[in-house]
Amino acid sequence: MLVDGMALLFRAYYATATSGYIRRTKSGIPTNAIYGFIRYFWDAVQNFDPTHVICCWDLGGSTFRGQQFSAYKGNRPEAPDDLVPQFSIIRDVMDSMGVPNISAEGYEADDCIGTLATQFSKDMDVMILSGDHDLLQLVSDRTTVIIMKKGHGNYKAYTPESLYEEKQLHPRQIIDVKALMGDASDNYPGVRGIGEKTAHKLVQEFGSVDGILEHLDQVSKSVRVKIEADLDMLLLSRKLAEIHCCVPVACDLDICELSLDERNVVDKFEELEMKSLCHLLGVVV
């Protein structure tokens, strides 16, 4: 199981912060996101029973996408002050559980996940845990993408069959749809005036962005004019939407086998004053 660390951490933070209560240690260190992260993470472990686990993270700072398009993710607010110190602490927590933390400078967690999924799926089945639908482009016969839905313990597992059943798209076509419609969350526009519905229809009819461009004469005039006016942005948006699967990261299987060292776990959870989580993990205190 490849875990999208930031997706879980942000979800866990906002699930509790909206109530106005932030869990803290006696010394004032915020731990609400860490506490929620472990609950989400362990619920997924119990539900899907992976033998090996890796957690992937964004490093912050510039990425190759930001170099290609300076406004990439430029609309995102700064992380809340109470969340910032938890970025490093959660990595220590995962270390205590024997789960490797993987990241790569200049790349996003998605790229690390894509690279590791490509490597491991040659020999074994891979699960990806996230709330980010961008990762659906990585679905394959050996890779299932598990999307966390609203509510604790609520998941949708996507295989090539279930993805097509729900969206009438093949995994790689997720990239083409995003290239056309853009992504407000990541702050790139795609083709102005083309929304999700039209993007889906075009990709379903012509197969891909390349297929659309090869048959522009068959596209309605209003859509054709929009594509021709924003052709450069369409091609750039496709680059931004595609997860890179050749990032310089690797992890040996024996390192990521899920096997808790109970003493390490107890020590770390006691340090963070969240001893009750030991019982959740079945660790004897």
Side-chain angles (χ1 to χ4, degrees):
M1 177 180 280
L2 301 169
V3 178
D4 182 353
M6 284 301 187
L8 265 69
L9 194 66
F10 272 87
R11 177 180 289 258
Y13 177 82
Y14 286 110
T16 54
T18 50
S19 69
Y21 170 72
I22 301 291
R23 184 188 183 98
R24 300 177 189 277
T25 64
K26 288 172 185 171
S27 62
I29 298 169
T31 57
N32 67 314
I34 296 163
Y35 188 90
F37 181 106
I38 296 302
R39 291 187 69 236
Y40 282 134
F41 168 68
W42 201 250
D43 184 85
V45 166
Q46 290 180 310
N47 268 278
F48 299 102
D49 197 24
T51 55
H52 300 73
V53 179
I54 297 171
C55 199
C56 294
W57 301 94
D58 295 326
L59 279 180
S62 83
T63 66
F64 75 93
R65 291 185 182 86
Q67 292 166 5
Q68 290 176 335
F69 183 55
S70 59
Y72 182 72
K73 292 191 175 180
N75 59 338
R76 295 197 178 184
E78 293 291 320
D81 289 343
D82 284 326
L83 178 56
V84 172
Q86 299 184 68
F87 289 149
S88 58
I89 298 172
I90 187 60
R91 287 173 173 251
D92 293 340
V93 172
M94 297 310 277
D95 279 338
S96 76
M97 297 174 70
V99 176
N101 294 296
I102 298 287
S103 51
E105 192 169 342
Y107 295 93
E108 297 179 53
D110 289 3
D111 302 307
C112 298
I113 290 170
T115 299
L116 293 169
T118 300
Q119 292 171 3
F120 286 125
S121 63
K122 294 172 185 173
D123 303 308
M124 62 199 306
D125 291 330
V126 173
M127 297 175 282
I128 295 170
L129 179 68
S130 181
D132 184 355
H133 286 72
D134 293 354
L135 287 158
L136 294 177
Q137 65 185 266
L138 299 175
V139 168
S140 73
D141 291 337
R142 297 294 295 269
T143 300
T144 300
V145 175
I146 301 162
I147 296 293
M148 301 170 69
K149 311 291 264 186
K150 192 172 182 180
H152 193 73
N154 191 14
Y155 309 94
K156 169 75 175 182
Y158 287 92
T159 62
E161 294 74 24
S162 63
L163 177 63
Y164 190 81
E165 182 182 350
E166 181 178 304
K167 300 182 182 291
Q168 289 75 57
L169 294 172
H170 300 294
R172 295 288 298 174
Q173 291 177 317
I174 299 290
I175 302 167
D176 296 288
V177 169
K178 282 174 61 74
L180 286 159
M181 64 179 279
D183 187 322
S185 173
D186 287 341
N187 201 41
Y188 59 87
V191 177
R192 284 169 296 181
I194 291 184
E196 184 174 5
K197 189 175 179 181
T198 301
H200 268 87
K201 184 179 176 184
L202 288 167
V203 171
Q204 287 163 358
E205 185 172 354
F206 298 103
S208 65
V209 166
D210 289 337
I212 295 165
L213 297 178
E214 287 168 11
H215 299 92
L216 267 183
D217 58 324
Q218 299 175 30
V219 176
S220 70
K221 184 180 178 183
S222 63
V223 171
R224 183 168 70 248
V225 167
K226 291 171 184 173
I227 290 175
E228 289 173 342
D230 263 343
L231 181 58
D232 288 345
M233 183 51 72
L234 169 62
L235 298 177
L236 176 57
S237 294
R238 181 171 62 175
K239 285 183 181 177
L240 297 173
E242 183 172 7
I243 292 172
H244 282 225
C245 296
C246 52
V247 175
V249 293
C251 187
D252 292 336
L253 263 183
D254 58 347
I255 294 174
C256 60
E257 184 173 359
L258 186 60
S259 178
L260 298 181
D261 182 317
E262 296 197 357
R263 187 69 260 158
N264 285 343
V265 172
V266 170
D267 288 348
K268 178 54 70 175
F269 285 8
E270 283 186 340
E271 176 192 330
L272 294 172
E273 298 167 22
M274 47 179 66
K275 207 166 162 183
S276 61
L277 287 178
C278 292
H279 301 293
L280 177 73
L281 272 61
V283 173
V284 178
V285 179

